[in-house]
Amino acid sequence: MNIGEAAKATGVSTKMIRHYEAIGLIGRARRSGAGYRQYTEQDLHTLRFIKRARSLGFSIEEIRRLLALWTDRDRASAEVKALAQRHIDELRRKIRALQEMVDTLSHLAAHCHGDQRPDCPILDALAEGAEPEDTMPRPCCGHAGQP
Amino acid sequence: MNIGEAAKATGVSTKMIRHYEAIGLIGRARRSGAGYRQYTEQDLHTLRFIKRARSLGFSIEEIRRLLALWTDRDRASAEVKALAQRHIDELRRKIRALQEMVDTLSHLAAHCHGDQRPDCPILDALAEGAEPEDTMPRPCCGHAGQP
DNA sequence: GATCCACCTTTCCATGATGGGAAGGTCAAG
DNA sequence: CTTGACCTTCCCATCATGGAAAGGTGGATC
């Protein structure tokens, strides 16, 4: 099976398949006489594994470890679980950071009338005591910045 | 004021200050006789504005627009609000995607005993019907994959 | 056999925001 | 005058992904 077919079958682009090979995430594929990469069902399984792991947000290096654990019959599930847990923690950390941004911005947007007038609490908050020319800063209802 | 002092005063690294200048996000700084960049209080205000906007997750291009709006006395606050709202939507979209990963992974991790035995639902889910050698796939309690 | 199109190959470049490091100039204190 | 802390520019790396160029292959059609 050529690389294009493997890409269609797994949802991994040809670009990425070649890239994964180049960085050693997957082994070097067998080649046809003309140098075309040939893929087996087993290769597709590996690519689908990678695809699923990527869609769960694992980095390439984490996936490298996961693949090693996958093919190691004697692995301890504890190591997989620990890796997953670390990843979950990292995801939650990112979510918290994004949520804080949303909270702050939502608060500011709620106080912005959003009409044709230039007055804007959002820009005021970003400027925070430093107007572009000569206007005065304007406090709000009490938070939305760092305490 | 030299660039290092400006960096300390604003929390923007010297690297980034030079970068912002190179991409035209901020104007070219005045130079001393020896070619050192000199910063005014007004420059610091702009850098702090950028810093705050970055910490709210706005991209450089969004900040470019925000800066233009900031310095335009005749801006309509509607445009700022719309920009902010688009950004909020984008952040929420990212949060949802990350949360889905967390949900799936948490579910899998909860079902992984995480001891010295090799049996692991997390790897099973990533493999999904394709074991590395010859074992059989193992269904779980009913979701955690695409429907 | 020639042509054509879809596919394959490699290599280089780009993204976005940030940092690291090299090689060299400048300034102030000792 | 030396030392050390600054500054300058330029190049490279990250991470995962894609675009594009330039050229070779495979199979179908004329």
Side-chain angles (χ1 to χ4, degrees):
Chain A
M1 182 184 319
N2 284 348
I3 196 171
E5 209 174 338
K8 247 176 239 162
T10 61
V12 181
S13 72
T14 60
K15 278 286 193 186
M16 281 299 103
I17 296 176
R18 292 194 194 97
H19 179 60
Y20 293 156
E21 181 180 320
I23 64 175
L25 185 65
I26 59 181
R28 263 160 296 174
R30 276 177 219 82
R31 301 296 184 111
S32 73
Y36 286 17
R37 289 175 179 81
Q38 300 298 135
Y39 293 92
T40 66
E41 275 302 316
Q42 185 57 36
D43 293 331
L44 299 193
H45 293 330
T46 303
L47 287 171
R48 289 200 194 95
F49 183 103
I50 294 170
K51 175 81 177 174
R52 294 199 190 93
R54 283 294 298 134
S55 78
L56 287 176
F58 285 105
S59 72
I60 297 289
E61 290 314 307
E62 285 169 328
I63 293 172
R64 201 187 291 275
R65 188 80 200 108
L66 286 171
L67 281 171
L69 289 165
W70 185 36
T71 46
D72 176 8
R73 291 157 173 270
D74 297 329
R75 79 230 167 195
S77 64
E79 185 172 349
V80 183
K81 188 169 183 172
L83 200 162
Q85 192 56 55
R86 253 177 283 134
H87 182 49
I88 289 171
D89 293 346
E90 179 67 12
L91 290 171
R92 290 207 169 116
R93 208 185 50 73
K94 280 187 194 163
I95 288 172
R96 266 197 306 277
L98 294 176
Q99 189 60 54
E100 271 180 40
M101 295 177 192
V102 167
D103 291 347
T104 302
L105 272 169
S106 297
H107 177 79
L108 293 173
H111 288 249
C112 177
H113 34 62
D115 55 17
Q116 290 311 301
R117 285 172 294 170
D119 182 59
C120 181
I122 300 170
L123 290 179
D124 290 351
L126 290 171
E128 198 162 299
E131 298 310 303
E133 297 293 329
D134 54 52
T135 56
M136 291 291 294
R138 172 184 307 99
C140 180
C141 59
H143 79 301
Q146 281 83 339
Chain B
M1 183 184 320
N2 285 347
I3 196 171
E5 210 174 338
K8 247 175 241 163
T10 61
V12 181
S13 71
T14 60
K15 278 284 194 190
M16 281 300 102
I17 296 177
R18 291 195 195 96
H19 179 61
Y20 293 157
E21 180 179 320
I23 64 175
L25 185 66
I26 59 181
R28 262 159 298 174
R30 276 176 219 84
R31 302 295 185 111
S32 73
Y36 286 17
R37 289 175 179 80
Q38 300 298 138
Y39 294 92
T40 65
E41 275 302 316
Q42 185 58 35
D43 293 329
L44 298 193
H45 293 330
T46 303
L47 287 172
R48 290 201 193 93
F49 184 103
I50 294 171
K51 175 81 177 172
R52 294 199 189 93
R54 283 294 299 134
S55 77
L56 288 175
F58 286 103
S59 72
I60 298 290
E61 289 315 305
E62 286 168 328
I63 293 171
R64 200 187 292 276
R65 188 79 201 110
L66 285 171
L67 280 171
L69 289 165
W70 185 37
T71 46
D72 175 9
R73 292 157 173 269
D74 298 330
R75 79 231 166 193
S77 64
E79 184 173 350
V80 184
K81 187 168 183 174
L83 200 162
Q85 192 56 55
R86 252 176 283 135
H87 183 49
I88 290 171
D89 294 346
E90 179 68 11
L91 290 172
R92 291 207 168 114
R93 207 185 51 72
K94 280 186 194 163
I95 289 172
R96 267 196 305 277
L98 294 176
Q99 190 59 54
E100 272 180 39
M101 295 177 192
V102 167
D103 291 347
T104 302
L105 273 170
S106 297
H107 178 78
L108 292 173
H111 288 248
C112 177
H113 35 62
D115 56 16
Q116 290 310 302
R117 286 172 293 171
D119 181 58
C120 181
I122 300 170
L123 290 178
D124 290 352
L126 289 172
E128 199 162 299
E131 298 309 303
E133 298 293 330
D134 55 53
T135 56
M136 291 290 295
R138 173 184 307 99
C140 182
C141 59
H143 78 301
Q146 282 83 340

